[in-house]
Amino acid sequence: MSLLESLLLYFLPLLISLSIVSPQTSTYTAYRTSFLYKTSCTSDQYFDVALLQCSPCPVNAQQKSDDSTKCECINDNYYYGVNQGGGSLLCILCGSNYVRSIDGFGCITNNISCDSTSSRQVKSEAALNGDLYTSVNSSSASQPRIGNATCVSCQDGTWSNQPSQRCTQCASVTPRLGQVQNATIACCNTTAVQDGVCLRYIDDGSLTGFLYQNMFKSPTTSVFFQQHLRASFFLCRMNLNVATAQAPTRQLLSNATACQLLGNIAAMQFYYNLNGYAYYFYDTYIWNPPVSPSFWTISSNRTSIPFLAYPSTYFQDISSSTYNWIPATYNQNDLLRIKLAKYSPTGNFLGLFDAFDTYMQLCGGGYTDGQAAFTFGTQFKKACNIRADALWNSTLYETAFFDPYVVLTRNGTDYFIPCPVVILNYQSTTGSNPNRNSDESAWSYNRRFFLLDRISGVTTTTSGTNELININYATTIKILTTLTSGASYIQPPVIIVGYSELALTDIGKGTIVQVSFESSYRMDFSQQIMNIWIAAGVLAFLGVVLAFFRTTVWYSRRGDDNIDLAVIGKFSVYISNILATVFFIVLAGVSVWWLIFYKRQNRISLVLPTDALQASFTALVVLAFSLKTIDILHLVFRQAMVDIFFMDWEKPKAGIKDDVSIWRTYFVANEYQEIQAFRRINVTFQIFFVLFLLKVINLENVATMEPGVNLFPPNVDYQPGYSSILRVGIAFSMWLATAIVQYLIYVIFYQRFVEDKIINFIDLCSVSNISVFIFTDNLYGYYIHGLSPHGTTDVNIKDMTMNLERESNQLSGKRGLQAKSDEQTFIVQISRNFRGVYTEARNRYHIQRSRQKENVMGEKQAESLMAAYQNLNGILCAFINHSLRGHEYTIRERTFQERVLNYEFLNRNPYQTLESEQSIFFVDNDRNLIRAIFAGHENSLFIWNMATFIFIDYFAFNYVLAGIVTYILNFIAIKICMSFGRKNLSTKTLIPKNFLM
């Protein structure tokens, strides 16, 4: 070997390895180009499952007639040199006078023609040992097998099995009812074979009119139904129409697989009971055969025949007071065990499976996710979006049929009870849809359902090919479990299924469909609903009585003997207030009761409310919020209409006229303006702390629709939803607990050791030598005695300090209205006579104020206004000092009954004259004067805040949003109160609005 040859041999492996591992520049760019999605290809193309496009068939090949994903040779004159499926085949021309063999990889002479319509002849190309009949020449590696064929006549009782090239016994494909005459079984012609079976002995020709229509919006003839319906019916019926089969010793001959196949077709046709459809033939000739006497008895065990529909009395059976089929012995976290008997489309039994293992929902999810859906007492709902293309052709979804059973355990042994299936798409023969109505007694209860139907939509097109043009899929599935007899038993869970359809035109367009799965529990809450409305009715009646009493109290304080629209309006407002409180108490009690007993139960005996109870609860929520809002508006406007006047006890200095300073009055008025919206409960803090408890501490998770409490659930795909009633219960509990803590802290600590705004205001009145008259009604109001024991307070800082020092050392008089008394606050019930005097003086004062607004204020006008003010101030001072002739008052304590009822029993004499009436001052040790401001209506305001929070969250399921809306509405109420109160103070006093902060 030369040196050059040696070097080449040495480097050849290295060159080859470099060519393999060296980076190559790819020229493939087809992935950059979009393509049209289509599954229907022309006859010279096949659908390439790798490219999802139509690709051309090789030379001399065309699309296979029964499989669009493969090609075949254009005719029998070509044999297959290679055939690997798809477009991977070579079609080679046979010689003249030769055609392709049955196996496709050889050629035979074409001078042999057997009767293709006869089942008694079979074409054979080789003997059983493989020898060719009349071999033409030897086969080589480059030539196809070439031979001859012969027509073999089948013996009696056999028929031709063309693919196997031999005769087969007819008995295996010719069902019969018993021994035939002469023990000879006659075979069918090829054209008489149905679904591969000869029906000669079981089809008597009396039943015709089979309809092969599917159940889409535009029904078409289903290829699957054409192939299987008639055969499955006769194979299932077999001897059910024979009188001898009625004997007690009868033996049923129904083909089990055929019966299941017939049931599948009935399910795909939504159990349509019109003559010609699968369910009609099943119900009329199999389940209830027209033979006499009746073939079936009530307790008949119908072997091999599927149970597809419940009798019309089923609802009455499970609703009976004697119902006791399934004991409710479920504890917390126990599973509702549902088993599914699974069948293939052609009726083969595939096994028994647990329902929670994704077999009942298209959304998927394994045991961990699906377990929540079957945890007894847990309300489960899950929805997901699926691409229509995936439902159409993905292997992730299969067509299968299911019969559900609920499993119950007795003495350690499992027992099955069938579960009914309600198909929402079911249509009666009259065209109605009873399963979509709320009357469950009119529902049609069936047994079998499917998730996806990609079979019945295959139809023969105008070109003669079979093509899938529609599918049905389960868009909604709901398991409805009913507890009955006081939660002692459960009814068999009802599987409610609703189907939607997809058409070929929906595919390839990115269409998304939504499917959902739900598990719901219910029980009879009619007694609870009645109890709720009885409680609300009784409390509402008492509320009306209380509203009438409060109207009577207001009417007596009004001082008018006429009953007019104002009285009716006041009565209506009081009813709104009391009924709102009543409804709120009822809904709060119901929600907290449900929260406690549903969450803390060990043995499940209580489920979440049904729609009927939910509707009642919703009405309570709406009424409580609406009526309480009306009450708060009345409160704000009533507070803005009070008649208030600041009495100045300061006397002018000797020799100096009109030198009393007005700044003390301004200061007291500003302080009163500030406390008008004062409340002991800080709403801002209340909202933030409640949200902290609900969202940060995660107490919101107490309201999930499952028994038990899990504040920090594991991070899984499914999180249980929330119950609106439970959300109300936990929100009310947190609001109430936070308010109680806040109120106690304010009363016990803050009010004692920091400040008491009401006491501070009373002290300010005394230091300023200002008394305050507040008339909330015409003859009723409050009085704060602010007369300083020092006589004058318009002094310098030294004198002020000395005055306060003497008072603290008890070296001066008391601040009280009575001698040696510290009582400064009083409830005032004035006489009608004094009210007239006060009203007259007040009107003169207001007339001067109105003139001030209309004209430029001059010195003369200012003096007139000052005179009117001093006149009103002097009348009130004289009244308090008992120096106003004919207008006296007495001071006394309120009795226990008066304090409880907040009503003063005056016992006026009807024959008493106006001049002889006396006003009464009741010592106000309970600080009832705060009823003139927000602080005196803390309960109503607090209930309104809670009702607002609950109302928003009830419909929005968002605590944060509820907190924001509650804060905004409370802020608006405060601003309205402050604005209207400021205007009222400016109108009723001499103080301009710009001096009120």
Side-chain angles (χ1 to χ4, degrees):
M1 181 181 294
S2 66
L3 179 60
L4 179 60
E5 291 175 335
S6 300
L7 291 175
L8 289 175
L9 290 174
Y10 178 78
F11 285 105
L12 182 59
L14 180 60
L15 292 173
I16 295 174
S17 64
L18 287 175
S19 66
I20 295 174
V21 302
S22 298
Q24 301 293 317
T25 302
S26 175
T27 59
Y28 179 71
T29 60
Y31 63 88
R32 303 177 185 174
T33 306
S34 61
F35 61 92
L36 179 65
Y37 180 86
K38 56 185 297 186
T39 57
S40 179
C41 303
T42 59
S43 59
D44 60 345
Q45 295 178 325
Y46 75 102
F47 184 77
D48 192 328
V49 295
L51 298 178
L52 301 182
Q53 299 181 61
C54 293
S55 297
C57 288
V59 178
N60 300 322
Q62 64 183 5
Q63 186 184 115
K64 194 172 183 181
S65 59
D66 58 353
D67 190 349
S68 62
T69 63
K70 297 178 181 179
C71 294
E72 63 181 2
C73 294
I74 55 177
N75 54 46
D76 291 341
N77 295 326
Y78 294 85
Y79 73 94
Y80 297 111
V82 175
N83 190 358
Q84 297 280 40
S88 303
L89 72 161
L90 293 175
C91 292
I92 303 174
L93 184 65
C94 290
S96 59
N97 299 323
Y98 286 89
V99 294
R100 185 169 64 244
S101 62
I102 293 177
D103 63 6
F105 291 88
C107 298
I108 62 173
T109 57
N110 62 356
N111 59 353
I112 302 298
S113 177
C114 300
D115 186 2
S116 61
T117 62
S118 173
S119 60
R120 304 298 302 278
Q121 283 192 346
V122 61
K123 180 185 286 188
S124 178
E125 299 175 354
L128 291 178
N129 62 2
D131 290 341
L132 298 176
Y133 292 125
T134 316
S135 178
V136 178
N137 54 21
S138 60
S139 176
S140 65
S142 60
Q143 296 293 328
R145 181 185 72 250
I146 300 177
N148 204 346
T150 184
C151 294
V152 178
S153 296
C154 295
Q155 300 296 320
D156 290 343
T158 65
W159 72 338
S160 60
N161 187 339
Q162 297 292 344
S164 299
Q165 302 183 30
R166 62 181 299 164
C167 297
T168 306
Q169 294 294 325
C170 290
S172 61
V173 292
T174 309
R176 56 211 175 277
L177 304 180
Q179 182 65 36
V180 297
Q181 187 176 7
N182 300 325
T184 301
I185 301 174
C187 296
C188 295
N189 292 328
T190 304
T191 56
V193 173
Q194 291 285 329
D195 201 9
V197 179
C198 178
L199 304 178
R200 173 183 296 247
Y201 295 106
I202 58 176
D203 182 3
D204 57 7
S206 61
L207 294 180
T208 58
F210 288 89
L211 297 177
Y212 308 112
Q213 301 294 308
N214 49 37
M215 298 301 291
F216 298 103
K217 294 177 181 178
S218 300
T220 57
T221 299
S222 170
V223 173
F224 185 84
F225 295 169
Q226 280 182 314
Q227 182 180 359
H228 298 290
L229 175 56
R230 188 168 179 270
S232 64
F233 166 71
F234 285 110
L235 289 172
C236 183
R237 187 182 69 156
M238 289 295 287
N239 64 333
L240 288 179
N241 64 329
V242 181
T244 57
Q246 300 171 51
T249 58
R250 68 185 182 273
Q251 180 177 357
L252 300 183
L253 303 177
S254 298
N255 183 297
T257 303
C259 290
Q260 298 298 341
L261 173 55
L262 182 64
N264 293 344
I265 297 176
M268 286 187 282
Q269 290 180 333
F270 300 144
Y271 303 99
Y272 194 39
N273 200 19
L274 191 67
N275 189 357
Y277 286 83
Y279 183 74
Y280 172 83
F281 288 106
Y282 161 87
D283 184 59
T284 306
Y285 299 102
I286 297 176
W287 196 253
N288 298 298
V291 293
S292 180
S294 177
F295 182 80
W296 299 118
T297 64
I298 295 177
S299 58
S300 295
N301 187 13
R302 309 186 181 189
T303 308
S304 301
I305 299 177
F307 167 42
L308 293 183
Y310 288 82
S312 59
T313 59
Y314 174 73
F315 183 79
Q316 286 72 25
D317 294 339
I318 62 175
S319 302
S320 171
S321 59
T322 60
Y323 170 84
N324 60 354
W325 299 356
I326 309 175
T329 57
Y330 295 89
N331 296 322
Q332 195 175 115
N333 298 324
D334 283 355
L335 293 180
L336 177 66
R337 297 173 59 195
I338 294 181
K339 293 283 189 177
L340 299 176
K342 185 179 180 181
Y343 300 90
S344 71
T346 53
N348 294 307
F349 178 66
L350 301 179
L352 203 61
F353 300 90
D354 289 311
F356 53 69
D357 196 15
T358 74
Y359 287 100
M360 280 192 69
Q361 47 181 316
L362 292 171
C363 287
Y367 178 85
T368 304
D369 298 330
Q371 184 175 4
F374 296 90
T375 301
F376 194 85
T378 297
Q379 303 281 2
F380 178 96
K381 187 169 186 179
K382 184 176 182 180
C384 64
N385 294 326
I386 301 178
R387 292 186 305 108
D389 294 16
L391 288 176
W392 192 269
N393 52 28
S394 174
T395 56
L396 295 175
Y397 307 101
E398 63 173 339
T399 298
F401 298 84
F402 304 96
D403 288 351
Y405 298 86
V406 61
V407 183
L408 64 151
T409 303
R410 294 174 182 165
N411 301 323
T413 304
D414 289 343
Y415 296 86
F416 285 17
I417 289 182
C419 297
V421 174
V422 174
I423 305 298
L424 297 179
N425 304 70
Y426 169 79
Q427 187 179 68
S428 69
T429 54
T430 61
S432 63
N433 299 99
N435 290 359
R436 295 188 182 273
N437 299 329
S438 58
D439 183 8
E440 297 182 23
S441 64
W443 284 1
S444 175
Y445 295 90
N446 299 103
R447 282 285 295 129
R448 183 163 297 185
F449 72 97
F450 58 88
L451 298 183
L452 181 66
D453 169 19
R454 288 198 296 224
I455 296 176
S456 67
V458 177
T459 187
T460 303
T461 63
T462 54
S463 61
T465 60
N466 295 335
E467 185 176 5
L468 178 63
I469 61 173
N470 290 100
I471 67 171
N472 273 321
Y473 65 95
T475 184
T476 60
I477 299 179
K478 180 178 181 180
I479 304 177
L480 181 61
T481 306
T482 303
L483 282 77
T484 186
S485 300
S488 299
Y489 302 95
I490 67 169
Q491 297 175 1
V494 181
I495 316 297
I496 303 175
V497 187
Y499 294 98
S500 295
E501 70 175 69
L502 286 172
L504 182 61
T505 55
D506 299 319
I507 307 305
K509 298 180 180 179
T511 304
I512 300 295
V513 298
Q514 186 179 71
V515 298
S516 66
F517 179 82
E518 182 179 357
S519 179
S520 178
Y521 295 81
R522 66 179 182 178
M523 58 190 301
D524 184 12
F525 289 118
S526 58
Q527 186 62 46
Q528 286 83 346
I529 295 174
M530 182 182 297
N531 292 339
I532 289 173
W533 287 113
I534 287 176
V538 171
L539 292 177
F541 173 76
L542 296 177
V544 172
V545 174
L546 180 58
F548 181 79
F549 173 75
R550 292 181 63 181
T551 305
T552 303
V553 172
W554 171 83
Y555 181 75
S556 66
R557 293 171 178 175
R558 180 190 181 202
D560 192 346
D561 295 333
N562 297 321
I563 298 179
D564 51 14
L565 289 177
V567 178
I568 298 175
K570 185 64 69 171
F571 178 68
S572 301
V573 171
Y574 284 144
I575 285 182
S576 297
N577 174 23
I578 297 172
L579 290 185
T581 303
V582 165
F583 293 148
F584 186 81
I585 291 173
V586 172
L587 73 88
V590 170
S591 61
V592 171
W593 181 87
W594 233 285
L595 180 69
I596 294 173
F597 288 96
Y598 177 73
K599 285 294 182 177
R600 300 305 300 169
Q601 58 184 335
N602 292 322
R603 177 180 173 274
I604 305 301
S605 58
L606 179 69
V607 298
L608 291 174
T610 57
D611 292 340
L613 183 58
Q614 196 77 30
S616 299
F617 194 82
T618 302
L620 290 175
V621 172
V622 174
L623 287 173
F625 170 72
S626 303
L627 295 177
K628 186 53 70 173
T629 301
I630 294 174
D631 176 52
I632 297 303
L633 291 175
H634 170 253
L635 170 63
V636 170
F637 287 103
R638 183 172 182 270
Q639 183 172 322
M641 298 298 291
V642 298
D643 201 351
I644 185 170
F645 189 81
F646 298 102
M647 295 168 45
D648 193 350
W649 292 98
E650 200 73 19
K651 297 293 188 286
K653 296 178 182 178
I656 304 176
K657 183 181 179 182
D658 301 334
D659 67 336
V660 177
S661 173
I662 194 63
W663 291 108
R664 291 173 295 101
T665 304
Y666 282 9
F667 188 51
V668 172
N670 272 283
E671 288 302 311
Y672 181 82
Q673 169 70 4
E674 289 183 8
I675 66 172
Q676 283 199 91
F678 161 69
R679 292 174 59 184
R680 294 183 178 91
I681 294 178
N682 187 298
V683 177
T684 302
F685 173 81
Q686 178 84 12
I687 292 173
F688 273 102
F689 195 75
V690 167
L691 291 179
F692 173 80
L693 294 174
L694 294 174
K695 302 298 291 186
V696 179
I697 305 301
N698 261 9
L699 291 178
E700 180 182 23
N701 286 336
V702 175
T704 54
M705 292 189 291
E706 58 180 355
V709 177
N710 189 359
L711 296 184
F712 299 95
N715 186 19
V716 295
D717 291 338
Y718 174 77
Q719 296 294 340
Y722 295 103
S723 165
S724 56
I725 287 186
L726 299 185
R727 287 180 70 90
V728 170
I730 189 63
F732 170 79
S733 302
M734 295 303 100
W735 266 82
L736 185 61
T738 304
I740 290 174
V741 171
Q742 190 177 173
Y743 184 84
L744 292 177
I745 291 175
Y746 179 85
V747 172
I748 297 174
F749 298 101
Y750 188 86
Q751 185 173 271
R752 294 190 178 194
F753 301 109
V754 181
E755 67 170 342
D756 185 335
K757 289 184 177 293
I758 304 302
I759 294 297
N760 288 348
F761 179 73
I762 296 173
D763 288 341
L764 176 63
C765 290
S766 294
V767 171
S768 303
N769 210 12
I770 299 291
S771 292
V772 183
F773 259 113
I774 305 173
F775 291 109
T776 55
D777 295 305
N778 202 37
L779 302 180
Y780 183 86
Y782 306 97
Y783 172 69
I784 300 176
H785 188 61
L787 177 62
S788 174
H790 310 290
T792 181
T793 58
D794 195 3
V795 295
N796 56 39
I797 188 171
K798 174 187 173 184
D799 294 337
M800 178 65 72
T801 303
M802 294 303 298
N803 288 341
L804 295 177
E805 183 67 22
R806 283 195 298 271
E807 188 173 357
S808 64
N809 294 327
Q810 298 184 356
L811 298 177
S812 60
K814 298 288 187 178
R815 291 183 176 183
L817 177 59
Q818 302 178 88
K820 299 181 181 181
S821 170
D822 286 325
E823 287 113 3
Q824 292 182 264
T825 58
F826 299 88
I827 298 172
V828 178
Q829 185 80 41
I830 62 174
S831 66
R832 287 173 287 179
N833 190 20
F834 176 72
R835 179 67 197 191
V837 173
Y838 171 78
T839 302
E840 182 181 355
R842 186 197 60 182
N843 290 340
R844 288 200 298 266
Y845 169 65
H846 286 308
I847 290 173
Q848 295 298 328
R849 285 293 309 274
S850 62
R851 290 176 180 174
Q852 172 192 353
K853 295 179 181 179
E854 295 174 359
N855 304 308
V856 178
M857 178 64 67
E859 184 175 353
K860 183 176 181 180
Q861 288 80 8
E863 289 180 356
S864 299
L865 180 61
M866 176 62 71
Y869 169 76
Q870 290 177 345
N871 178 59
L872 179 57
N873 190 77
I875 289 174
L876 293 176
C877 290
F879 175 69
I880 295 300
N881 286 332
H882 298 278
S883 59
L884 188 62
R885 181 179 300 178
H887 302 286
E888 289 296 332
Y889 65 90
T890 58
I891 301 176
R892 70 173 177 88
E893 298 277 352
R894 290 208 299 180
T895 64
F896 175 77
Q897 293 88 345
E898 290 175 332
R899 288 199 300 272
V900 170
L901 298 175
N902 190 31
Y903 178 62
E904 298 73 30
F905 298 97
L906 300 180
N907 296 323
R908 279 199 176 103
N909 187 346
Y911 302 102
Q912 188 177 19
T913 62
L914 291 178
E915 291 76 10
S916 60
E917 284 185 6
Q918 280 193 345
S919 301
I920 303 177
F921 280 40
F922 299 92
V923 178
D924 186 18
N925 294 322
D926 301 324
R927 296 189 190 175
N928 285 278
L929 65 91
I930 63 173
R931 294 178 182 272
I933 59 177
F934 268 12
H937 303 274
E938 188 70 66
N939 293 339
S940 289
L941 290 165
F942 177 67
I943 291 176
W944 179 61
N945 293 144
M946 276 199 298
T948 303
F949 187 89
I950 289 171
F951 176 80
I952 298 301
D953 178 74
Y954 187 81
F955 293 101
F957 273 60
N958 191 322
Y959 283 136
V960 175
L961 176 62
I964 293 173
V965 174
T966 302
Y967 174 83
I968 292 174
L969 291 183
N970 186 75
F971 179 80
I972 292 174
I974 291 175
K975 287 301 181 183
I976 293 175
C977 172
M978 298 295 286
S979 177
F980 283 19
R982 181 167 172 259
K983 181 179 180 181
N984 185 57
L985 279 179
S986 177
T987 302
K988 302 294 175 61
T989 65
L990 191 62
I991 305 171
K993 284 196 297 184
N994 53 330
F995 283 96
L996 294 172
M997 305 300 177

